[in-house]
Amino acid sequence: METVSTATTWSRDTVQGEKRNLWTAMKRGFRCRCPRCGEGKLFRAFLKVDDHCSACGLDFTPHRADDLPAYLVIVIVGHIVVPLALSIETNFSPPVWLQLAIYLPLTLILSLALLQPVKGAVVGFQWALRMHGFDDNSPGEISPG
């Protein structure tokens, strides 16, 4: 006698609910707005995500951005500053003090300017893909039958 498994395979398509466009959510998050409606503010302080959206009420507490935004900012700023520094050094060969006077502040300003938008995009990414607690019907909550 064969036993048939009735386990539900969870995928993004099996979840009933609102459609979530990944790129729209990330763009809204990058603008520091709610990934669902694009109206409410995402942050209550520089890097502190608000508890909920003031416009649509979306709960932001499940987000788990952790260190990913910082890593992404390092990669982005590195891909801007390093080729610039190599190009200037190769073509003009300015003194070291002038290079430090340019590259250190540029790196700091770019990093601070990108950190909040990148974190917002990560929160939008998590919301759109129903990661962590952003899914009302997570696999642990699907009842058999």
Side-chain angles (χ1 to χ4, degrees):
M1 183 169 167
E2 260 182 70
T3 58
V4 178
S5 175
T6 59
T8 303
T9 303
W10 184 83
S11 71
R12 188 173 174 181
D13 297 328
T14 60
V15 177
Q16 299 298 323
E18 65 184 318
K19 297 290 182 189
R20 299 180 181 183
N21 183 292
L22 176 65
W23 297 113
T24 302
M26 287 180 67
K27 282 189 268 185
R28 289 174 176 169
F30 191 82
R31 291 188 340 241
C32 303
R33 296 292 175 193
C34 172
R36 179 195 284 164
C37 68
E39 298 295 322
K41 290 184 178 182
L42 186 58
F43 296 95
R44 63 180 146 95
F46 180 62
L47 290 177
K48 295 287 184 188
V49 177
D50 205 347
D51 292 334
H52 63 280
C53 175
S54 59
C56 69
L58 176 65
D59 182 20
F60 297 135
T61 56
H63 91 88
R64 297 289 176 263
D66 298 330
D67 292 334
L68 180 61
Y71 293 133
L72 294 175
V73 167
I74 289 169
V75 169
I76 294 167
V77 172
H79 278 82
I80 294 170
V81 173
V82 170
L84 178 67
L86 290 174
S87 175
I88 291 174
E89 175 62 31
T90 303
N91 295 324
F92 304 106
S93 193
V96 174
W97 68 266
L98 182 58
Q99 292 183 55
L100 292 176
I102 294 170
Y103 305 135
L104 292 178
L106 179 64
T107 301
L108 178 67
I109 291 167
L110 284 174
S111 297
L112 291 176
L114 285 173
L115 197 52
Q116 189 180 43
V118 169
K119 184 170 183 174
V122 169
V123 173
F125 179 83
Q126 291 176 347
W127 176 81
L129 295 182
R130 302 174 191 274
M131 295 171 73
H132 306 297
F134 282 123
D135 183 15
D136 296 332
N137 302 313
S138 65
E141 297 174 8
I142 295 176
S143 58

